[in-house]
Amino acid sequence: MEDNPRVVGLQFDNHAAARDVATWLQHDGEWALAGSGADPAAITAHALAQEAAMGREFRLFMANFFRLIWGP
C-alpha cells in the first residue's frame, strides 16, 4: 500500500433529516441564507417531504456499495 500513489475514498453526509435541517437553519440560517431570499420554513418543509425518499435512496446506496466491496 505504501508504494501505491492512488487513494480511494468515499465521503457523504447521510443525516440531513428534517430535524437536522431545522437545527442548521436555527443556528446558522441567518448567516447562510443572508441575501438569498430563501424561506427557512419552506426549506424545512421540503426536507420533511423528502425524508422518506432520502432514507430509501441511502439504504439502496449503501447496499450497492457493500455489494461492490464484499461481492454478491
Side-chain angles (χ1 to χ4, degrees):
M1 262 317 207
E2 292 178 16
D3 296 348
N4 189 340
R6 292 172 291 282
V7 175
V8 176
L10 172 67
Q11 180 178 348
F12 58 92
D13 188 346
N14 69 325
H15 67 275
R19 180 185 69 231
D20 299 311
V21 171
T23 299
W24 296 335
L25 289 170
Q26 178 184 5
H27 293 287
D28 297 317
E30 186 177 329
W31 169 81
L33 301 178
S36 71
D39 177 10
I43 292 170
T44 304
H46 182 73
L48 183 58
Q50 296 300 314
E51 207 165 46
M54 280 192 326
R56 285 190 304 274
E57 293 298 321
F58 174 71
R59 287 187 293 279
L60 178 61
F61 172 82
M62 291 306 295
N64 288 334
F65 177 74
F66 289 127
R67 192 171 14 261
L68 285 171
I69 300 300
W70 295 326

